[in-house]
Amino acid sequence: MIWLKYIITAVVAYLLGSVSVGIITSKLMGGPNLREVGSGNTGATNALRALGKKGGIIVFVGDILKALIASLIGRALCGHDGELIAAVFVIAGHIWPVFFGFKGGKGVSCVCGAIHLPYNPQAVIAYVIALVVICVTKYVSLGSCCLVLSFAILVTIHEAMVGFTCWYGIPWAFFLAALVIWRHHENIGRLLKGTERKLGEKKQ
């Protein structure tokens, strides 16, 4: 029976992730199709550039909320394991949404909502690190990568301190980090070349 709950958690989380807040918000605001402008992603950063601050904030908060709801459902059905399963599948749904041609965002906003419940203190510290990096460098992509990598390291430290009571939280955290960093491979290439756009910088 527990496996049925795991499957339900995964399916519900994926479907929630597939609800593209970016596309819906842009349509309601009379904006462009986010998949056809800027980076082509439906996440908060592209929404910010295409729709302005209001649109960017709505998309960011909406993506966090859908991931948080998925985590709560996972917790209700399967406890801590359900939170981890929900995180993976809600992020997968966000990146590859079944309702929108499997073309979505990079998963960062969803990560922020999905990691909050299973590892709250570590998530909060990772949020702060990411915000500091973004404020100092103005590179959202760099801050996003620092967020997931620092979170994975913090989870590892936490599990080591508590005797690896949930050891599989470590590969889970590094999997999420690898997924998000992979989604930012083009940004990383531009960062290395010095051509990545900074927050608030107009496209040349």
Side-chain angles (χ1 to χ4, degrees):
M1 182 63 74
I2 187 63
W3 290 106
L4 179 59
K5 291 183 179 180
Y6 286 162
I7 293 171
I8 292 173
T9 296
V11 171
V12 171
Y14 176 75
L15 292 177
L16 277 171
S18 292
V19 177
S20 180
V21 179
I23 291 178
I24 294 171
T25 300
S26 185
K27 187 172 183 179
L28 291 175
M29 293 181 67
N33 185 337
L34 295 181
R35 293 174 294 181
E36 298 175 355
V37 297
S39 65
N41 291 293
T42 61
T45 301
N46 201 35
L48 174 66
R49 288 171 174 153
L51 306 174
K53 290 182 180 179
K54 181 180 178 181
I57 291 172
I58 291 173
V59 174
F60 181 65
V61 173
D63 285 339
I64 288 177
L65 286 177
K66 72 181 182 184
L68 187 58
I69 291 170
S71 293
L72 287 169
I73 292 172
R75 171 188 282 185
L77 290 175
C78 312
H80 182 69
D81 288 353
E83 295 170 350
L84 303 187
I85 293 169
V88 171
F89 282 90
V90 74
I91 293 166
H94 177 78
I95 296 174
W96 299 289
V98 67
F99 304 130
F100 296 94
F102 300 99
K103 187 176 181 181
K106 295 182 179 178
V108 180
S109 300
C110 268
V111 166
C112 290
I115 65 177
H116 188 68
L117 288 184
Y119 291 99
N120 178 264
Q122 293 74 28
V124 171
I125 295 172
Y127 300 154
V128 173
I129 291 172
L131 284 173
V132 170
V133 171
I134 293 172
C135 288
V136 171
T137 67
K138 304 300 182 184
Y139 289 123
V140 176
S141 56
L142 181 59
S144 300
C145 291
C146 288
L147 167 71
V148 292
L149 188 56
S150 61
F151 175 72
I153 293 170
L154 289 166
V155 168
T156 302
I157 294 171
H158 167 75
E159 288 298 336
M161 291 177 65
V162 299
F164 299 101
T165 55
C166 183
W167 63 268
Y168 45 87
I170 297 173
W172 168 83
F174 276 100
F175 172 76
L176 295 186
L179 181 59
V180 171
I181 290 172
W182 170 70
R183 288 289 290 171
H184 283 80
H185 68 277
E186 292 181 354
N187 303 84
I188 293 171
R190 289 193 294 268
L191 282 168
L192 293 174
K193 294 178 183 178
T195 57
E196 177 75 338
R197 287 172 63 187
K198 293 185 176 183
L199 186 65
E201 183 179 356
K202 300 295 183 181
K203 188 175 182 179
Q204 299 296 322

